[in-house]
Amino acid sequence: SQTIHQWPATLVQPVGSPLSLECTVEGTSNPNLYWYRQAAGRGLQLLFYSVGIGQISSEVPQNLSASRPQDRQFILSSKKLLLSDSGFYLCAWSGDSQRNSPLHFGNGTRLTVT
Amino acid sequence: GESVGLHLPTLSVQEGDNSIINCAYSNSASDYFIWYKQESGKGPQFIIDIRSNMDKRQGQRVTVLLNKTVKHLSLQIAATQPGDSAVYFCAENGGSYIPTFGRGTSLIVHP
């Protein structure tokens, strides 16, 4: 069966520090991968998505970036965190070539920028 | 569009009652719709989906209704239990790989 792993679960970082959040998927190949951010009590904001290795699409301009160095690995990064980067970051995957398939989410990383 | 910038509406029900959570969508090209449940501190979990060639789909204690005429989607939960307390999101595929999520509804079940 397919599983998705995100780490760390929680993170407290000072303003201006770098960020690296990692997400890996097991049990499937060539998944579509997504990074979402969720502010407290709010909906889901799509940050990046990827349909293949090295292919990243950005949905909103920001100081975050994403990379997909391997088929089932998706990384969210920042060189210098801002206070506004605080939030709940969710990684998700969906089946390749399956437009009509649900997203499967990890359990998220709670990021607090101080 | 994205479901950001708005606080979540809340539905409060008594344990044992039926719950109905509603969602409006806007993209006529959407042909696939999904409901997710998000418990506190966790990622959203898939509950049930429906394709546009159907009006109704039933799962275990859940039913999704789709009205394409008025672009409306609903999730019905029968005999609501305290464990059903969560935030529920609808999503539409908009004819692409990128789903558009609704704003979410917080369901509170009182014992």
Side-chain angles (χ1 to χ4, degrees):
Chain A
S1 63
Q2 302 91 354
T3 55
I4 180 168
H5 302 279
Q6 270 189 259
W7 67 93
T10 60
L11 190 60
V12 180
Q13 292 284 103
V15 168
S17 64
L19 172 74
S20 181
L21 302 181
E22 191 161 343
C23 171
T24 59
V25 180
E26 295 177 0
T28 187
S29 60
N30 199 27
N32 297 323
L33 297 171
Y34 310 79
W35 276 112
Y36 284 85
R37 177 169 58 200
Q38 186 175 34
R42 304 292 178 98
L44 296 162
Q45 179 186 31
L46 178 65
L47 302 175
F48 301 95
Y49 70 94
S50 171
V51 298
I53 296 174
Q55 301 177 59
I56 310 293
S57 297
S58 174
E59 288 295 298
V60 292
Q62 60 213 323
N63 69 320
L64 299 171
S65 63
S67 62
R68 185 170 177 173
Q70 300 180 44
D71 181 43
R72 290 168 288 177
Q73 184 184 27
F74 206 23
I75 298 171
L76 183 69
S77 304
S78 174
K79 292 181 179 178
K80 287 185 178 182
L81 284 168
L82 306 172
L83 285 174
S84 58
D85 291 324
S86 293
F88 191 44
Y89 288 83
L90 290 157
C91 181
W93 72 273
S94 68
D96 174 40
S97 302
Q98 294 177 32
R99 186 170 59 82
N100 293 341
S101 65
L103 267 60
H104 304 277
F105 287 87
N107 275 328
T109 295
R110 177 81 54 194
L111 172 66
T112 302
V113 182
T114 60
Chain B
E2 300 288 350
S3 58
V4 295
L6 298 172
H7 288 283
L8 301 175
T10 299
L11 174 65
S12 291
V13 300
Q14 290 294 128
E15 181 179 0
D17 287 351
N18 295 333
S19 303
I20 300 176
I21 300 171
N22 296 303
C23 183
Y25 67 95
S26 58
N27 193 335
S28 299
S30 292
D31 57 5
Y32 178 65
F33 305 87
I34 317 106
W35 280 101
Y36 295 90
K37 172 186 180 183
Q38 186 178 24
E39 296 176 86
S40 180
K42 296 184 179 180
Q45 290 181 297
F46 167 79
I47 304 174
I48 191 168
D49 57 5
I50 187 168
R51 287 172 169 71
S52 59
N53 60 352
M54 302 173 69
D55 297 323
K56 178 180 179 179
R57 191 169 187 215
Q58 289 184 291
Q60 187 176 16
R61 282 202 305 117
V62 295
T63 300
V64 55
L65 298 177
L66 175 63
N67 186 329
K68 297 179 286 295
T69 302
V70 295
K71 296 191 181 69
H72 185 266
L73 192 67
S74 69
L75 178 70
Q76 301 178 0
I77 304 174
T80 314
Q81 302 168 0
D84 294 326
S85 294
V87 176
Y88 290 82
F89 290 96
C90 65
E92 57 177 309
N93 72 344
S96 77
Y97 293 102
I98 311 300
T100 299
F101 284 84
R103 59 190 297 199
T105 297
S106 177
L107 176 65
I108 300 173
V109 182
H110 300 282

Short mmCIF file of all heavy atoms in Angstrom, two decimals, chain B residues 5-52:
data_model
loop_
_atom_site.label_atom_id
_atom_site.label_comp_id
_atom_site.label_asym_id
_atom_site.label_seq_id
_atom_site.Cartn_x
_atom_site.Cartn_y
_atom_site.Cartn_z
N GLY B 5 -8.07 32.97 3.42
CA GLY B 5 -8.51 34.30 3.79
C GLY B 5 -9.86 34.34 4.45
O GLY B 5 -10.34 35.42 4.78
N LEU B 6 -10.51 33.19 4.68
CA LEU B 6 -11.83 33.21 5.29
C LEU B 6 -11.83 32.25 6.47
O LEU B 6 -11.30 31.17 6.41
CB LEU B 6 -12.89 32.76 4.28
CG LEU B 6 -13.06 33.63 3.04
CD1 LEU B 6 -13.99 32.96 2.05
CD2 LEU B 6 -13.64 34.98 3.43
N HIS B 7 -12.45 32.70 7.62
CA HIS B 7 -12.59 31.78 8.74
C HIS B 7 -13.65 30.75 8.39
O HIS B 7 -14.57 30.99 7.63
CB HIS B 7 -12.95 32.56 10.00
CG HIS B 7 -11.78 33.35 10.51
ND1 HIS B 7 -10.74 32.78 11.19
CD2 HIS B 7 -11.48 34.66 10.40
CE1 HIS B 7 -9.86 33.72 11.50
NE2 HIS B 7 -10.28 34.85 11.05
N LEU B 8 -13.52 29.58 9.04
CA LEU B 8 -14.36 28.46 8.70
C LEU B 8 -15.74 28.58 9.31
O LEU B 8 -15.89 28.89 10.49
CB LEU B 8 -13.71 27.17 9.20
CG LEU B 8 -12.31 26.88 8.64
CD1 LEU B 8 -11.73 25.65 9.30
CD2 LEU B 8 -12.37 26.70 7.14
N PRO B 9 -16.80 28.28 8.54
CA PRO B 9 -18.13 28.17 9.14
C PRO B 9 -18.20 26.92 10.00
O PRO B 9 -17.44 25.97 9.82
CB PRO B 9 -19.05 28.05 7.91
CG PRO B 9 -18.17 27.55 6.82
CD PRO B 9 -16.82 28.07 7.09
N THR B 10 -19.14 26.92 10.94
CA THR B 10 -19.24 25.84 11.91
C THR B 10 -20.64 25.26 11.91
O THR B 10 -21.63 25.99 11.82
CB THR B 10 -18.90 26.35 13.32
OG1 THR B 10 -17.55 26.84 13.32
CG2 THR B 10 -18.99 25.21 14.34
N LEU B 11 -20.71 23.93 12.01
CA LEU B 11 -21.98 23.22 12.14
C LEU B 11 -21.92 22.44 13.44
O LEU B 11 -21.01 21.62 13.64
CB LEU B 11 -22.17 22.26 10.96
CG LEU B 11 -23.38 21.32 11.02
CD1 LEU B 11 -24.67 22.13 10.97
CD2 LEU B 11 -23.34 20.30 9.89
N SER B 12 -22.87 22.70 14.33
CA SER B 12 -22.94 21.98 15.61
C SER B 12 -24.14 21.06 15.59
O SER B 12 -25.24 21.50 15.25
CB SER B 12 -23.07 22.97 16.77
OG SER B 12 -21.88 23.70 16.95
N VAL B 13 -23.93 19.80 15.96
CA VAL B 13 -25.02 18.83 15.99
C VAL B 13 -24.91 18.00 17.26
O VAL B 13 -23.86 17.95 17.90
CB VAL B 13 -24.98 17.89 14.76
CG1 VAL B 13 -25.11 18.68 13.47
CG2 VAL B 13 -23.73 17.04 14.76
N GLN B 14 -26.00 17.34 17.59
CA GLN B 14 -26.01 16.42 18.71
C GLN B 14 -25.64 15.02 18.22
O GLN B 14 -25.98 14.63 17.10
CB GLN B 14 -27.39 16.37 19.36
CG GLN B 14 -27.79 17.63 20.11
CD GLN B 14 -26.88 17.86 21.32
OE1 GLN B 14 -26.32 18.93 21.49
NE2 GLN B 14 -26.74 16.84 22.16
N GLU B 15 -24.98 14.30 19.06
CA GLU B 15 -24.63 12.91 18.75
C GLU B 15 -25.89 12.15 18.36
O GLU B 15 -26.93 12.25 19.02
CB GLU B 15 -23.96 12.25 19.95
CG GLU B 15 -23.53 10.82 19.72
CD GLU B 15 -22.84 10.22 20.93
OE1 GLU B 15 -22.70 10.94 21.96
OE2 GLU B 15 -22.42 9.05 20.87
N GLY B 16 -25.79 11.41 17.27
CA GLY B 16 -26.94 10.62 16.81
C GLY B 16 -27.74 11.30 15.72
O GLY B 16 -28.47 10.63 14.98
N ASP B 17 -27.62 12.63 15.63
CA ASP B 17 -28.32 13.34 14.56
C ASP B 17 -27.62 13.10 13.23
O ASP B 17 -26.47 12.67 13.18
CB ASP B 17 -28.34 14.84 14.85
CG ASP B 17 -29.29 15.20 15.97
OD1 ASP B 17 -30.07 14.31 16.42
OD2 ASP B 17 -29.26 16.37 16.41
N ASN B 18 -28.33 13.43 12.16
CA ASN B 18 -27.71 13.42 10.84
C ASN B 18 -27.12 14.81 10.56
O ASN B 18 -27.70 15.82 10.94
CB ASN B 18 -28.74 13.07 9.76
CG ASN B 18 -29.26 11.65 9.93
OD1 ASN B 18 -28.58 10.78 10.47
ND2 ASN B 18 -30.49 11.42 9.48
N SER B 19 -25.97 14.84 9.91
CA SER B 19 -25.30 16.10 9.57
C SER B 19 -25.31 16.28 8.06
O SER B 19 -25.14 15.30 7.31
CB SER B 19 -23.86 16.11 10.07
OG SER B 19 -23.79 15.88 11.46
N ILE B 20 -25.47 17.51 7.64
CA ILE B 20 -25.38 17.83 6.22
C ILE B 20 -24.44 19.00 6.06
O ILE B 20 -24.67 20.08 6.62
CB ILE B 20 -26.74 18.18 5.61
CG1 ILE B 20 -27.72 17.00 5.76
CG2 ILE B 20 -26.59 18.55 4.14
CD1 ILE B 20 -29.12 17.30 5.27
N ILE B 21 -23.39 18.79 5.31
CA ILE B 21 -22.40 19.83 5.03
C ILE B 21 -22.48 20.16 3.56
O ILE B 21 -22.45 19.27 2.71
CB ILE B 21 -20.99 19.35 5.40
CG1 ILE B 21 -20.93 19.00 6.89
CG2 ILE B 21 -19.96 20.42 5.07
CD1 ILE B 21 -19.65 18.31 7.32
N ASN B 22 -22.60 21.44 3.27
CA ASN B 22 -22.82 21.89 1.90
C ASN B 22 -21.60 22.58 1.31
O ASN B 22 -20.76 23.13 2.02
CB ASN B 22 -24.01 22.86 1.86
CG ASN B 22 -25.29 22.19 2.26
OD1 ASN B 22 -25.70 21.21 1.68
ND2 ASN B 22 -25.93 22.72 3.31
N CYS B 23 -21.54 22.53 -0.01
CA CYS B 23 -20.42 23.12 -0.72
C CYS B 23 -20.92 23.57 -2.09
O CYS B 23 -21.63 22.83 -2.76
CB CYS B 23 -19.32 22.07 -0.86
SG CYS B 23 -17.82 22.64 -1.64
N ALA B 24 -20.54 24.78 -2.48
CA ALA B 24 -20.85 25.28 -3.81
C ALA B 24 -19.56 25.32 -4.61
O ALA B 24 -18.51 25.68 -4.09
CB ALA B 24 -21.45 26.67 -3.72
N TYR B 25 -19.63 24.92 -5.87
CA TYR B 25 -18.46 25.01 -6.73
C TYR B 25 -18.78 25.90 -7.91
O TYR B 25 -19.94 26.20 -8.19
CB TYR B 25 -17.97 23.62 -7.16
CG TYR B 25 -18.91 22.86 -8.08
CD1 TYR B 25 -18.76 22.91 -9.46
CD2 TYR B 25 -19.92 22.07 -7.55
CE1 TYR B 25 -19.58 22.20 -10.30
CE2 TYR B 25 -20.76 21.36 -8.38
CZ TYR B 25 -20.59 21.43 -9.76
OH TYR B 25 -21.43 20.72 -10.58
N SER B 26 -17.75 26.33 -8.61
CA SER B 26 -17.97 27.35 -9.63
C SER B 26 -17.53 26.94 -11.02
O SER B 26 -17.96 27.54 -12.01
CB SER B 26 -17.24 28.64 -9.25
OG SER B 26 -15.85 28.38 -9.08
N ASN B 27 -16.68 25.90 -11.12
CA ASN B 27 -16.09 25.56 -12.41
C ASN B 27 -16.93 24.53 -13.14
O ASN B 27 -17.02 23.38 -12.73
CB ASN B 27 -14.66 25.04 -12.19
CG ASN B 27 -13.87 24.95 -13.48
OD1 ASN B 27 -14.43 24.84 -14.57
ND2 ASN B 27 -12.56 25.01 -13.36
N SER B 28 -17.52 24.94 -14.24
CA SER B 28 -18.36 24.03 -15.01
C SER B 28 -17.57 22.87 -15.62
O SER B 28 -18.14 21.85 -15.98
CB SER B 28 -19.05 24.80 -16.15
OG SER B 28 -19.87 25.81 -15.64
N ALA B 29 -16.26 23.04 -15.73
CA ALA B 29 -15.42 21.98 -16.29
C ALA B 29 -15.14 20.86 -15.29
O ALA B 29 -14.63 19.80 -15.66
CB ALA B 29 -14.10 22.57 -16.78
N SER B 30 -15.45 21.07 -14.02
CA SER B 30 -15.19 20.06 -13.00
C SER B 30 -16.05 18.83 -13.23
O SER B 30 -17.26 18.94 -13.41
CB SER B 30 -15.45 20.61 -11.60
OG SER B 30 -14.50 21.61 -11.27
N ASP B 31 -15.40 17.67 -13.24
CA ASP B 31 -16.16 16.43 -13.42
C ASP B 31 -15.83 15.40 -12.34
O ASP B 31 -16.22 14.23 -12.46
CB ASP B 31 -15.92 15.84 -14.82
CG ASP B 31 -14.45 15.58 -15.09
OD1 ASP B 31 -13.62 15.76 -14.18
OD2 ASP B 31 -14.12 15.22 -16.24
N TYR B 32 -15.13 15.85 -11.31
CA TYR B 32 -14.76 14.94 -10.23
C TYR B 32 -14.71 15.73 -8.94
O TYR B 32 -14.12 16.81 -8.88
CB TYR B 32 -13.40 14.31 -10.53
CG TYR B 32 -12.87 13.38 -9.47
CD1 TYR B 32 -13.52 12.19 -9.17
CD2 TYR B 32 -11.70 13.68 -8.77
CE1 TYR B 32 -13.03 11.34 -8.20
CE2 TYR B 32 -11.20 12.84 -7.80
CZ TYR B 32 -11.87 11.66 -7.52
OH TYR B 32 -11.37 10.81 -6.56
N PHE B 33 -15.34 15.20 -7.90
CA PHE B 33 -15.50 15.93 -6.65
C PHE B 33 -15.15 15.01 -5.48
O PHE B 33 -15.46 13.82 -5.51
CB PHE B 33 -16.94 16.43 -6.50
CG PHE B 33 -17.39 17.26 -7.67
CD1 PHE B 33 -17.96 16.64 -8.79
CD2 PHE B 33 -17.26 18.64 -7.67
CE1 PHE B 33 -18.36 17.39 -9.88
CE2 PHE B 33 -17.67 19.40 -8.76
CZ PHE B 33 -18.21 18.77 -9.86
N ILE B 34 -14.52 15.61 -4.49
CA ILE B 34 -14.04 14.80 -3.37
C ILE B 34 -14.37 15.50 -2.05
O ILE B 34 -14.36 16.73 -1.97
CB ILE B 34 -12.50 14.63 -3.43
CG1 ILE B 34 -12.00 14.32 -4.83
CG2 ILE B 34 -12.03 13.55 -2.43
CD1 ILE B 34 -11.31 15.48 -5.51
N TRP B 35 -14.65 14.71 -1.04
CA TRP B 35 -14.78 15.22 0.32
C TRP B 35 -13.64 14.67 1.16
O TRP B 35 -13.29 13.49 1.09
CB TRP B 35 -16.11 14.78 0.94
CG TRP B 35 -17.28 15.61 0.52
CD1 TRP B 35 -18.23 15.31 -0.42
CD2 TRP B 35 -17.64 16.90 1.05
NE1 TRP B 35 -19.14 16.32 -0.52
CE2 TRP B 35 -18.81 17.31 0.37
CE3 TRP B 35 -17.09 17.75 2.02
CZ2 TRP B 35 -19.45 18.53 0.63
CZ3 TRP B 35 -17.73 18.94 2.29
CH2 TRP B 35 -18.88 19.32 1.60
N TYR B 36 -13.07 15.60 1.97
CA TYR B 36 -11.99 15.24 2.89
C TYR B 36 -12.40 15.59 4.31
O TYR B 36 -13.15 16.54 4.54
CB TYR B 36 -10.71 16.02 2.56
CG TYR B 36 -10.08 15.71 1.23
CD1 TYR B 36 -10.44 16.42 0.10
CD2 TYR B 36 -9.12 14.72 1.11
CE1 TYR B 36 -9.86 16.15 -1.12
CE2 TYR B 36 -8.54 14.44 -0.11
CZ TYR B 36 -8.91 15.16 -1.22
OH TYR B 36 -8.33 14.88 -2.44
N LYS B 37 -11.83 14.84 5.25
CA LYS B 37 -12.02 15.10 6.68
C LYS B 37 -10.66 15.40 7.28
O LYS B 37 -9.71 14.64 7.07
CB LYS B 37 -12.62 13.86 7.35
CG LYS B 37 -12.70 13.93 8.87
CD LYS B 37 -13.17 12.60 9.45
CE LYS B 37 -13.25 12.64 10.97
NZ LYS B 37 -13.63 11.30 11.53
N GLN B 38 -10.57 16.51 8.01
CA GLN B 38 -9.31 16.86 8.65
C GLN B 38 -9.50 16.98 10.15
O GLN B 38 -10.18 17.89 10.63
CB GLN B 38 -8.74 18.17 8.09
CG GLN B 38 -7.36 18.48 8.65
CD GLN B 38 -6.75 19.75 8.06
OE1 GLN B 38 -7.46 20.63 7.58
NE2 GLN B 38 -5.43 19.83 8.08
N GLU B 39 -8.89 16.08 10.88
CA GLU B 39 -8.90 16.15 12.33
C GLU B 39 -7.78 17.07 12.79
O GLU B 39 -6.81 17.29 12.07
CB GLU B 39 -8.74 14.75 12.91
CG GLU B 39 -9.91 13.84 12.57
CD GLU B 39 -9.71 12.42 13.06
OE1 GLU B 39 -10.05 12.16 14.23
OE2 GLU B 39 -9.22 11.59 12.29
N SER B 40 -7.93 17.57 13.99
CA SER B 40 -6.99 18.55 14.52
C SER B 40 -5.56 18.02 14.52
O SER B 40 -5.28 16.92 15.01
CB SER B 40 -7.40 18.92 15.95
OG SER B 40 -6.50 19.87 16.49
N GLY B 41 -4.65 18.79 13.92
CA GLY B 41 -3.24 18.43 13.91
C GLY B 41 -2.85 17.38 12.89
O GLY B 41 -1.70 16.92 12.89
N LYS B 42 -3.79 17.00 12.02
CA LYS B 42 -3.50 15.98 11.03
C LYS B 42 -3.77 16.50 9.62
O LYS B 42 -4.38 17.55 9.44
CB LYS B 42 -4.36 14.73 11.28
CG LYS B 42 -4.07 14.04 12.60
CD LYS B 42 -4.89 12.77 12.73
CE LYS B 42 -4.59 12.05 14.03
NZ LYS B 42 -5.40 10.80 14.16
N GLY B 43 -3.32 15.75 8.63
CA GLY B 43 -3.61 16.09 7.26
C GLY B 43 -5.02 15.65 6.88
O GLY B 43 -5.60 14.77 7.52
N PRO B 44 -5.60 16.26 5.85
CA PRO B 44 -6.92 15.84 5.39
C PRO B 44 -6.91 14.38 4.93
O PRO B 44 -5.93 13.92 4.34
CB PRO B 44 -7.20 16.78 4.22
CG PRO B 44 -6.32 17.97 4.45
CD PRO B 44 -5.09 17.40 5.10
N GLN B 45 -8.01 13.70 5.21
CA GLN B 45 -8.16 12.31 4.78
C GLN B 45 -9.32 12.19 3.81
O GLN B 45 -10.38 12.79 4.02
CB GLN B 45 -8.46 11.40 5.99
CG GLN B 45 -7.31 11.22 6.95
CD GLN B 45 -7.73 10.30 8.09
OE1 GLN B 45 -8.64 10.61 8.84
NE2 GLN B 45 -7.10 9.16 8.19
N PHE B 46 -9.11 11.42 2.77
CA PHE B 46 -10.16 11.17 1.78
C PHE B 46 -11.34 10.44 2.42
O PHE B 46 -11.17 9.49 3.17
CB PHE B 46 -9.58 10.34 0.64
CG PHE B 46 -10.60 9.75 -0.29
CD1 PHE B 46 -11.18 10.54 -1.27
CD2 PHE B 46 -10.97 8.42 -0.20
CE1 PHE B 46 -12.12 10.01 -2.13
CE2 PHE B 46 -11.90 7.87 -1.06
CZ PHE B 46 -12.47 8.66 -2.04
N ILE B 47 -12.56 10.95 2.16
CA ILE B 47 -13.76 10.28 2.67
C ILE B 47 -14.49 9.58 1.54
O ILE B 47 -14.74 8.38 1.58
CB ILE B 47 -14.73 11.28 3.32
CG1 ILE B 47 -14.07 12.07 4.44
CG2 ILE B 47 -15.96 10.56 3.84
CD1 ILE B 47 -14.97 13.17 4.98
N ILE B 48 -14.88 10.35 0.54
CA ILE B 48 -15.70 9.82 -0.53
C ILE B 48 -15.56 10.73 -1.73
O ILE B 48 -15.28 11.92 -1.59
CB ILE B 48 -17.17 9.68 -0.07
CG1 ILE B 48 -18.00 8.88 -1.07
CG2 ILE B 48 -17.80 11.06 0.17
CD1 ILE B 48 -19.37 8.48 -0.54
N ASP B 49 -15.74 10.18 -2.91
CA ASP B 49 -15.69 10.98 -4.13
C ASP B 49 -16.89 10.67 -5.01
O ASP B 49 -17.63 9.69 -4.78
CB ASP B 49 -14.38 10.76 -4.89
CG ASP B 49 -14.13 9.29 -5.26
OD1 ASP B 49 -15.02 8.44 -5.01
OD2 ASP B 49 -13.04 8.99 -5.78
N ILE B 50 -17.08 11.51 -6.01
CA ILE B 50 -18.18 11.29 -6.95
C ILE B 50 -17.80 11.89 -8.29
O ILE B 50 -17.17 12.96 -8.34
CB ILE B 50 -19.50 11.88 -6.41
CG1 ILE B 50 -20.67 11.49 -7.30
CG2 ILE B 50 -19.41 13.41 -6.28
CD1 ILE B 50 -22.05 11.79 -6.66
N ARG B 51 -18.14 11.20 -9.35
CA ARG B 51 -17.91 11.72 -10.68
C ARG B 51 -19.17 12.39 -11.19
O ARG B 51 -20.28 12.11 -10.72
CB ARG B 51 -17.43 10.60 -11.60
CG ARG B 51 -16.00 10.19 -11.28
CD ARG B 51 -15.54 8.96 -12.02
NE ARG B 51 -14.11 8.74 -11.89
CZ ARG B 51 -13.48 8.36 -10.78
NH1 ARG B 51 -14.17 8.16 -9.68
NH2 ARG B 51 -12.17 8.19 -10.76
N SER B 52 -19.01 13.22 -12.20
CA SER B 52 -20.13 14.05 -12.63
C SER B 52 -21.22 13.27 -13.34
O SER B 52 -22.31 13.82 -13.59
CB SER B 52 -19.64 15.18 -13.54
OG SER B 52 -18.98 14.65 -14.66
#
